[in-house]
Amino acid sequence: MSTRQFGAPVQRREDPRLVTGGGRYLDDLGHTAYEVAFVRSPHAHARIIDIDLSDAWEVEGVQAIYLHEDLPDRVGESLPLLIPHPALIAPRVGYALAKDEVNHVGEAIAMVVATNRYLAEDAAARITVTFSSLPSVVGLENSRAATHLVHEEAAGNISAHLLQEVGNVTAAMAKAPNRLTLDLTIERSACMPMEGKGVYAVWDSDDERLRIYSSTQTSTGVRAAVAAKLGLPLAKVECIAPDVGGGFGVKIMHPWPEEVLIPWAARTLGHPVKWTEDRREHFISSSHERGQLQEVEVGFDDDGRVLALDVRFWHDNGAYTPYGIIVPIITATQLLGPYKPGAYRVEFWSLYTNTVLVTPYRGAGRPQGCYAMERTMDAIAAHLGLDRAEVRSRNFILPEEMPYDHGLMFQDGRPLKYDSGDFPASLAKLKALVGWDDFAAYKEQATREGRRVGLGIGCYVEGTGVGPYEGGHIQVETSGRVNVATGLTTQGQGHQTILAQIVADELGVPIDSVHVTTGDTRRMAYAVGTFASRGAVMSGNAVALAARVVRAKALRIAAEALEVSAEDLEIEDGIIRVKGAPDTALALATVAVLSNPLRYAFDESARAATQFAGTFDPDKPPIADDEEPGLEGQDFYSPTQATFANGMHAAIVETDPVTAEIRILRYCVIHDCGIMVNPMIVEGQVHGGVAQGVGGALYERMAYDESGQLMNASFMDFLMPYASEVPHIETDHLETPSPLNPLGIKGAGEAGTIPVTAVIASAIEDAEGFPIRSMPISPTQLWELRQQHAREDAR
Amino acid sequence: MTALPGTEQLHDVTLTVNGVQRQITVPARRLLSDALRHDLQLTGTHVGCEHGVCGSCTVLVDGQPMRSCLMFAVSAQGHAITTVEGCGDSPERMGPVQRAFIECHGLQCGFCTPGFITTITAYLAENPAPTEEQAREAISGNLCRCTGYQNIVKAVMRAAELAAEAPTAASEVSA
């Protein structure tokens, strides 16, 4: 009996290669390619008056220097607006190379191609750009004040304005016995994958064909965008995501300017060209996220039940909006978490600033929404003197209310309808894990010892696995090797393992025979990409469906060869047997031969197949009318809506009474992503998500000065957590299956990150006894808050 | 504006990489990380920040962990360099740290992993039986954006066990 792979902590199939230096990341390719360096804007907002290239051309090894005026046709036109929306009233996008004007520090102006990167940078340093500076708009408050404009066409610096309302908030608020308002701030951070972006392109002039490698989260998206820009038939362009050193959202945005320019240069120069982003470039030209100002008004009854919730927020979208308003829409809708307010109104303004553009970063607007909702829950509990967990549970949507339709439209343009979840059960598990009910005694003891400790909580719901679709293609070779392809890309989530687990079970083959390819348009041309915690849900179900197609075909062929009914057959360990008569069997490899009746026998399987070739019937074609040669098949999974995962976190923090240093003593996670394909990998995703959340709560911020210079654009100054900053994470799981897909799974990729800022704010508030309304928080800021509250208390 | 860069002067450098003597000809400014990756095509060493903070490019120089992005290739003249490939260059020949990383799910995207493996290999050679707290401290100079470090700490502990079972494997690289 072969072991079921689905649900087992199977070790990752990608690892032996990656731990021995066998990974192939973007810069590991193309050792002989020309290399590129960019001249980027040192100004946040300026007009370009003149560019002098004469000195640069004198550098040995320079092959080409390009400015905007050199870019032909569509290459020189503005970059695409990827996701339009009716509420996006003043969309603005940039150019591959700046045209006349720059709108943030780091915007690419000139591109130098040389025989190596050192020489390209020498030449770039010798290019002189003359600017006429314009007033820059930095920070949400300045943008909202609109004393100066980022784009003249965007009045009030507003790119988008959206209002959604369910029920009558004004009436419900007026009737509510208790009302509170909260002003909240959350600052910018960024994905910061260890590998930045990178593009390598090869133009094959013999074949008139372009091959692009990009460190991307969507190879199909890059392929289509570049084909359109370069005016090439799609059939002549292929795009491959090699090993990708982390993404977390920044690499779903596409096409980045470099993804257009590098392929274009490779074709123009007839020579392979490569660009590898350096860390400073990543800080100042790849997207950020998170920055919002929020105003919450909440009306509630004396038991803490929310009767009316009125939220207004201002979202910093940076200089351009190529990715539309996905992030604030997610904040607006996912803010509700596991709760059902009586009436809900949310209104947001997405604002331009002269800073790097904003596109989804792990959590994608949810951490901000969760922060607003959870700060509100704590405020209600404090106002009424109730237990914070109790207030939450009184507002929960109950399991018997599922599916629960909020009456709002989600980011995919479909109803925000929760499919499943058991929030009371999750909360009970969390309280048990962290020892919720024992904390008061622990805190009392700590206080007696002169220590300050606090307990925080945060709950969230995450729409995962959004459509439109992903596909799976499976081919069984005559050696018995099973090739699986799906089009979405991988950045460390272990897709090669979990998809192999699914296929091994569905097809009945040993996992070692299954080989998964992701993100290669040569193998699967139809795909969307990796984002929205959709990899396992979308491609997992797609390969399961494809495996069922192949299995059915294998059984059909085997039934004919063995002269039995297909229903009497089973597949195990790659062998098809008659149930109850195990001696009547043939290998799947043999069926692969029979499926493809060639004139030639190449291998052992082909020779073995001859005995099953059947009787020759001159009236029948070798391949039946409704069949195709080859033991292969594909299918696509396209859901009607997202499937909603959820989780609840709690943390115990200690703040130093003198220095205001903040230490996380314990961090507990209850996580429900439906049925887990591989619990080891799910745990890893949760750990990593929490670590990024801790960074966002306590350390990471984008320190722009008033002129739009990013003052901390290096790992020396941007404080990404080391092992010394990340607590040990305790986890427990609930597995509430999704009724929406064949495997019952929900996404897990982003979950860990979502509530951390809310949880840490909650815990610090509990330790300090005054409200925390601005995150992230540093010891200095906490110390200043203490002084401020001490002064107020003294008055 | 600096003087025009003419033809760069090249230097012959002889160094030992993973036990094999190699000769390269490089400009004085070429980073050791670039020389290893592009001149010797040992691309297991990764460059994550190029300013010495992230640790992805960590190699062992005469057994000591060093940031290869902060070292010129010419400075490696006469020294013995161990890269991740030197800790085990194929799935059939993995060292204890590499095996522990797989067992403990100590990596996700794998980009920072080579820097951790070289760092931990050197650490365990000097501290064969760390406590969990010491293990965490030992890896606190390397950045990882995927794992949250918990399983890397676990991998250090497991690697120590594996190395104790087969002591020769652990001492190979420092030799």
Side-chain angles (χ1 to χ4, degrees):
Chain A
M1 199 59 202
S2 61
T3 323
R4 187 168 154 82
Q5 301 290 327
F6 191 102
V10 176
Q11 288 189 1
R12 300 205 322 168
R13 292 170 54 73
E14 38 278 87
D15 287 356
R17 197 169 55 80
L18 297 179
V19 298
T20 51
R24 286 291 171 271
Y25 301 86
L26 196 283
D27 191 49
D28 302 340
L29 312 170
H31 293 287
T32 58
Y34 291 156
E35 292 200 78
V36 169
F38 287 93
V39 175
R40 297 181 183 277
S41 175
H43 293 279
H45 199 190
R47 294 197 71 74
I48 299 167
I49 305 299
D50 182 58
I51 304 175
D52 183 356
L53 304 179
S54 47
D55 278 345
W57 276 112
E58 292 177 41
V59 175
E60 182 205 29
V62 170
Q63 302 296 320
I65 304 177
Y66 300 117
L67 305 175
H68 180 268
E69 65 201 39
D70 301 314
L71 306 178
D73 310 319
R74 276 178 277 182
V75 180
E77 291 171 11
S78 59
L79 294 164
L81 174 62
L82 278 187
I83 312 178
H85 190 281
L88 183 57
I89 45 182
R92 288 281 288 161
V93 288
Y95 295 85
L97 290 171
K99 181 186 181 191
D100 306 329
E101 186 181 313
V102 286
N103 284 297
H104 67 84
V105 169
E107 194 164 354
I109 296 171
M111 171 184 180
V112 179
V113 186
T115 44
N116 68 49
R117 179 68 175 255
Y118 290 73
L119 298 172
E121 290 192 14
D122 285 342
R126 300 174 75 91
I127 292 173
T128 309
V129 186
T130 310
F131 296 94
S132 163
S133 69
L134 296 165
S136 50
V137 180
V138 180
L140 274 165
E141 268 144 6
N142 288 329
S143 178
R144 192 165 60 177
T147 314
H148 301 290
L149 295 180
V150 177
H151 304 291
E152 278 168 26
E153 310 85 338
N157 288 316
I158 297 167
S159 68
H161 174 223
L162 184 65
L163 186 150
Q164 294 199 69
E165 182 167 6
V166 188
N168 186 335
V169 167
T170 309
M173 193 72 78
K175 274 192 245 152
N178 307 285
R179 282 196 289 277
L180 285 172
T181 57
L182 292 85
D183 287 336
L184 299 163
T185 305
I186 186 163
E187 288 189 51
R188 271 191 179 210
S189 185
C191 302
M192 284 300 145
M194 296 309 300
E195 183 205 28
K197 305 200 307 292
V199 190
Y200 164 51
V202 180
W203 173 254
D204 182 339
S205 55
D206 293 338
D207 212 16
E208 294 198 314
R209 197 175 180 82
L210 180 66
R211 189 163 73 249
I212 308 161
Y213 297 87
S214 181
S215 185
T216 180
Q217 290 175 231
T218 172
S219 48
T220 45
V222 172
R223 179 196 190 205
V226 173
K229 277 284 179 195
L230 269 56
L232 289 168
L234 199 59
K236 290 289 187 186
V237 179
E238 54 206 39
C239 182
I240 299 133
D243 287 319
V244 173
F248 313 112
V250 62
K251 297 174 183 176
I252 190 61
M253 169 54 209
H254 68 282
W256 285 100
E258 300 86 359
E259 286 174 326
V260 174
L261 293 168
I262 305 305
W264 171 73
R267 187 184 177 205
T268 304
L269 298 171
H271 192 281
V273 178
K274 180 168 78 171
W275 167 74
T276 308
E277 187 177 57
D278 70 26
R279 188 51 58 183
R280 180 168 166 76
E281 287 184 294
H282 189 79
F283 269 100
I284 62 173
S285 67
S286 292
S287 7
H288 302 165
E289 215 231 88
R290 301 281 196 261
Q292 285 182 1
L293 298 175
Q294 306 168 333
E295 287 178 9
V296 180
E297 186 179 9
V298 62
F300 49 100
D301 67 16
D302 295 334
D303 294 328
R305 282 189 195 85
V306 176
L307 305 173
L309 183 64
D310 196 0
V311 178
R312 307 200 304 161
F313 70 92
W314 292 263
H315 170 81
D316 181 350
N317 62 224
Y320 301 112
T321 53
Y323 210 77
I325 50 173
I326 290 292
V327 174
I329 290 177
I330 295 176
T331 300
T333 47
Q334 296 258 267
L335 184 143
L336 294 172
Y339 313 114
K340 43 175 185 198
Y344 176 52
R345 178 166 60 201
V346 61
E347 184 173 17
F348 72 76
W349 293 262
S350 190
L351 300 179
Y352 286 111
T353 55
N354 288 113
T355 59
V356 179
L357 71 168
V358 165
T359 65
Y361 161 33
R362 195 178 202 171
R366 292 177 189 87
Q368 300 94 310
C370 179
Y371 170 67
M373 189 75 236
E374 294 297 305
R375 297 283 66 226
T376 304
M377 283 292 161
D378 279 0
I380 294 171
H383 185 81
L384 297 174
L386 291 173
D387 176 70
R388 290 170 292 166
E390 181 59 29
V391 168
R392 284 167 170 84
S393 79
R394 287 176 188 175
N395 285 286
F396 278 160
I397 296 161
L398 300 174
E400 54 270 28
E401 294 175 281
M402 298 287 179
Y404 187 88
D405 192 340
H406 276 289
L408 293 163
M409 191 188 280
F410 191 41
Q411 59 141 326
D412 53 359
R414 286 164 181 264
L416 182 76
K417 191 166 80 182
Y418 296 176
D419 53 311
S420 56
D422 188 342
F423 308 136
S426 289
L427 183 63
K429 268 181 178 281
L430 181 72
K431 287 173 73 172
L433 183 61
V434 75
W436 184 269
D437 294 328
D438 303 330
F439 182 74
Y442 171 79
K443 185 172 180 171
E444 214 177 282
Q445 172 67 26
T447 309
R448 276 200 298 274
E449 293 163 8
R451 297 166 57 211
R452 288 191 197 187
V453 295
L455 170 64
I457 181 173
C459 312
Y460 69 92
V461 169
E462 183 197 0
T464 71
V466 298
Y469 71 86
E470 288 297 334
H473 179 270
I474 297 176
Q475 176 200 42
V476 182
E477 292 190 18
T478 57
S479 63
R481 178 188 163 105
V482 179
N483 300 313
V484 179
T486 191
L488 61 62
T489 59
T490 296
Q491 304 82 41
Q493 301 91 333
H495 293 144
Q496 290 181 359
T497 305
I498 63 148
L499 299 180
Q501 287 177 259
I502 292 167
V503 170
D505 283 354
E506 291 284 347
L507 205 52
V509 296
I511 192 169
D512 290 343
S513 67
V514 184
H515 300 265
V516 177
T517 300
T518 58
D520 185 339
T521 64
R522 299 172 299 187
R523 296 285 307 282
M524 172 55 81
Y526 292 97
V528 187
T530 301
F531 57 93
S533 302
R534 68 195 293 281
V537 180
M538 300 303 300
S539 284
N541 282 292
V543 300
L545 295 174
R548 290 173 193 182
V549 170
V550 174
R551 181 189 176 90
K553 181 168 187 178
L555 293 181
R556 235 170 19 242
I557 294 167
E560 196 165 318
L562 296 170
E563 297 175 328
V564 294
S565 160
E567 287 90 73
D568 296 333
L569 295 173
E570 61 187 7
I571 314 180
E572 203 179 286
D573 277 333
I575 307 292
I576 303 179
R577 290 191 176 84
V578 176
K579 290 176 202 165
D583 292 342
T584 313
L586 81 173
L588 206 56
T590 312
V591 177
V593 177
L594 296 175
S595 73
N596 183 17
L598 290 174
R599 287 163 175 269
Y600 320 110
F602 296 103
D603 59 12
E604 293 293 329
S605 295
R607 281 187 285 280
T610 51
Q611 59 179 304
F612 299 105
T615 45
F616 177 72
D617 182 348
D619 295 330
K620 277 192 188 165
I623 302 276
D625 287 346
D626 52 355
E627 288 283 14
E628 290 172 0
L631 185 50
E632 63 179 277
Q634 70 176 20
D635 206 345
F636 292 84
Y637 173 64
S638 181
T640 54
Q641 65 155 81
T643 175
F644 289 81
N646 71 85
M648 301 185 187
H649 295 194
I652 297 175
V653 303
E654 176 160 7
T655 58
D656 189 293
V658 179
T659 63
E661 248 174 300
I662 303 159
R663 207 153 61 90
I664 303 172
L665 302 180
R666 287 185 64 204
Y667 200 97
C668 299
V669 175
I670 302 298
H671 185 247
D672 185 352
C673 63
I675 310 294
M676 291 188 278
V677 184
N678 184 326
M680 179 190 82
I681 288 177
V682 170
E683 291 258 325
Q685 291 291 311
V686 170
H687 293 170
V690 170
Q692 277 186 316
V694 167
L698 294 174
Y699 306 104
E700 298 168 12
R701 47 165 51 90
M702 289 295 170
Y704 277 104
D705 72 5
E706 66 279 6
S707 64
Q709 295 294 335
L710 187 56
M711 306 301 281
N712 62 344
S714 83
F715 281 165
M716 283 175 279
D717 300 309
F718 178 82
L719 303 178
M720 233 158 83
Y722 285 99
S724 40
E725 281 74 51
V726 179
H728 181 84
I729 299 153
E730 302 162 55
T731 49
D732 194 3
H733 298 270
L734 202 69
E735 292 186 87
T736 312
S738 171
L740 296 176
N741 62 69
L743 300 175
I745 57 182
K746 303 177 179 185
E750 295 166 277
T753 310
I754 296 169
V756 185
T757 288
V759 172
I760 299 299
S762 173
I764 295 172
E765 182 170 300
D766 188 45
E768 297 289 325
F770 50 73
I772 301 295
R773 296 284 185 261
S774 180
M775 290 292 278
I777 187 164
S778 65
T780 309
Q781 288 169 308
L782 180 58
W783 191 84
E784 281 164 2
L785 276 178
R786 282 180 183 170
Q787 305 305 308
Q788 187 191 320
H789 284 282
R791 282 194 300 273
E792 282 167 15
D793 291 347
R795 258 184 237 139
Chain B
M1 183 54 59
T2 52
L4 263 184
T7 305
E8 284 190 276
Q9 195 187 338
L10 299 176
H11 304 269
D12 289 330
V13 179
T14 305
L15 68 171
T16 304
V17 182
N18 301 330
V20 179
Q21 199 177 77
R22 308 290 296 260
Q23 191 161 7
I24 50 175
T25 304
V26 292
R29 64 174 172 171
R30 192 152 181 87
L31 300 176
L32 177 60
S33 52
D34 284 336
L36 291 170
R37 291 177 41 73
H38 300 303
D39 300 332
L40 298 175
Q41 303 208 357
L42 289 167
T43 53
T45 298
H46 297 151
V47 177
C49 69
E50 234 175 4
H51 48 258
V53 181
C54 78
S56 292
C57 68
T58 305
V59 299
L60 307 184
V61 179
D62 302 327
Q64 293 303 308
M66 300 248 190
R67 309 294 211 223
S68 64
C69 78
L70 292 187
M71 193 169 156
F72 292 119
V74 291
S75 310
Q77 168 69 38
H79 291 285
I81 310 293
T82 305
T83 67
V84 67
E85 291 93 343
C87 301
D89 65 355
S90 79
E92 293 74 37
R93 286 190 300 276
M94 288 191 286
V97 182
Q98 292 165 322
R99 284 188 283 142
F101 262 70
I102 298 176
E103 274 186 41
C104 301
H105 187 29
L107 69 153
Q108 290 180 25
C109 81
F111 193 81
C112 69
T113 310
F116 276 93
I117 287 173
T118 48
T119 302
I120 295 164
T121 299
Y123 175 78
L124 289 179
E126 288 181 11
N127 307 272
T131 63
E132 201 170 305
E133 200 179 341
Q134 290 168 331
R136 193 171 270 272
E137 180 65 26
I139 59 162
S140 282
N142 289 55
L143 283 172
C144 168
R145 195 58 160 169
C146 292
T147 63
Y149 304 105
Q150 192 156 321
N151 288 345
I152 301 181
V153 174
K154 213 161 123 187
V156 177
M157 304 303 287
R158 179 65 184 139
E161 284 176 14
L162 290 171
E165 287 165 18
T168 46
S171 53
E172 261 168 30
V173 293
S174 52

